[in-house]
């Protein structure tokens, strides 16, 4: 008797494309993977409306959703609309209470609106926004991963992040967080699976860890 596969949808973080998952490998006899990519949000669209739009790209019932960073917030919004088997967030936050103080400060002062996002074609600057890293040694690699260079999109991402209103995380959510994450510091995070020496880009640089642990996490 054939066993139906579990469908897993991956959502990348801000400005990144789905190639960040290129080294993630799940057993093909159990799982079928699908990749979501960012499109430019329309004017006045909030993150909840954006998530609703993405549902049109999800073609299987009760999928597993895995989102990285801002993509983790997006998949949580999707899960408010459709039934899911499991939601997994990586290098992300479960509620506005886990945002670092600098982002909370931005929410109340709107200081994020004066950030030099017009310089998004500068990959080093974009990587600092998206990954919290200085990337001079891996510039070519990040040019590949960070493909969305639209100022409106970056402004929208930052605004939606600092103004996200969720206060109570889902009880069925799995949160995987690196203890060296510079964007969402572990000190602000509760109830997570910690990855030792994991940074904000651990989905790229610690793919082996995810390949070893994700199947059991999904099936648990």
């Amino acid at each position: 008797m054939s066993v139906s596969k579990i469908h897993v949808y991956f959502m990348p973080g801000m400005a990144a494309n789905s190639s960040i998952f290129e080294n993630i490998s799940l057993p093909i006899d159990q799982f079928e993977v699908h990749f979501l990519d960012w499109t430019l949000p329309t004017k006045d669209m909030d993150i909840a409306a954006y998530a609703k739009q993405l549902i049109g790209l999800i073609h299987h019932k009760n999928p597993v959703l895995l989102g990285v960073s801002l993509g983790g917030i997006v998949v949580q919004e999707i899960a408010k609309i459709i039934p899911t088997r499991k939601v997994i967030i990586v290098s992300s936050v479960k509620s506005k209470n886990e945002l670092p103080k600098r982002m909370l400060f931005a929410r109340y002062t709107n200081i994020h609106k004066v950030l030099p996002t017009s310089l998004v074609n500068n990959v080093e600057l974009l990587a600092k926004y998206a990954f919290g890293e200085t990337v001079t040694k891996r510039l070519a690699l990040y040019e590949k991963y960070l493909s969305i260079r639209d100022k409106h999109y970056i402004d929208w991402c930052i605004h939606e992040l600092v103004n996200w209103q969720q206060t109570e995380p889902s009880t069925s959510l799995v949160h995987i967080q690196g203890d060296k994450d510079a964007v969402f510091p572990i000190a602000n995070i509760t109830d997570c699976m910690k990855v030792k020496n994991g940074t904000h880009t651990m989905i790229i640089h610690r793919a082996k860890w995810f390949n070893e642990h994700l199947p059991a996490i999904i099936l648990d």
Side-chain angles (χ1 to χ4, degrees):
M1 185 174 71
S2 63
V3 178
S4 58
K5 294 183 180 181
I6 297 170
H7 294 275
V8 186
Y9 284 79
F10 290 84
M11 182 72 197
M14 184 181 83
N17 57 62
S18 57
S19 68
I20 66 168
F21 303 113
E22 63 184 355
N23 293 317
I24 302 299
S25 179
L26 299 177
I28 60 174
D29 60 327
Q30 293 177 291
F31 306 98
E32 186 170 335
V33 300
H34 311 271
F35 301 105
L36 301 170
D37 272 305
W38 292 98
T39 57
L40 299 183
T42 58
K43 188 177 181 181
D44 300 325
M45 174 181 279
D46 64 13
I47 202 161
Y50 189 88
K52 187 174 182 180
Q53 176 181 276
L54 276 180
I55 290 171
L57 302 176
I58 297 174
H59 304 299
H60 303 90
K61 292 182 179 180
N62 297 308
V64 173
L65 304 177
L66 185 151
V68 175
S69 193
L70 185 61
I73 291 176
V74 170
V75 297
Q76 289 176 76
E77 292 294 326
I78 291 174
K80 294 175 183 177
I81 306 170
I82 65 170
T84 57
R85 178 184 178 117
K86 185 160 288 185
V87 177
I88 303 168
I89 65 171
V90 177
S91 307
S92 189
V93 293
K94 300 184 292 297
S95 75
K96 66 179 185 179
N97 303 317
E98 293 185 337
L99 292 171
K101 288 182 179 179
R102 67 180 184 279
M103 292 186 187
L104 296 176
F105 178 74
R107 177 189 303 164
Y108 294 112
T109 63
N110 284 326
I111 195 170
H112 59 287
K113 293 186 176 180
V114 300
L115 292 171
T117 53
S118 59
L119 301 178
V120 292
N121 283 316
N122 179 324
V123 177
E124 292 182 43
L125 179 64
L126 184 57
K128 194 68 176 176
Y129 281 147
F131 290 160
E133 293 187 6
T134 302
V135 299
T136 50
K137 293 181 180 179
R138 296 182 289 216
L139 196 56
L141 185 68
Y142 285 108
E143 283 181 336
K144 169 186 173 182
Y145 292 138
L146 295 170
S147 60
I148 306 178
R149 313 282 175 82
D150 182 86
K151 172 179 164 39
H152 165 70
Y153 163 81
I154 300 297
D155 287 340
W156 179 87
C157 286
I158 295 171
H159 178 80
E160 292 302 313
L161 173 61
V162 302
N163 287 286
W164 193 43
Q165 294 301 310
Q166 179 159 292
T167 56
E168 295 296 329
S170 166
T171 56
S172 60
L173 179 143
V174 177
H175 188 173
I176 305 172
Q177 194 76 7
D179 64 3
K180 297 290 195 301
D181 194 307
V183 176
F184 300 121
I186 195 72
N188 300 319
I189 307 296
T190 60
D191 300 322
C192 70
M193 182 178 295
K194 294 181 183 179
V195 178
K196 187 176 181 180
N197 296 321
T199 67
H200 197 65
T201 55
M202 64 182 180
I203 196 70
I204 300 170
H205 304 301
R206 299 289 300 278
K208 182 179 178 182
W209 187 96
F210 287 93
N211 291 339
E212 291 174 350
H213 293 86
L214 272 181
I217 290 171
I218 292 170
L219 294 170
D220 181 33

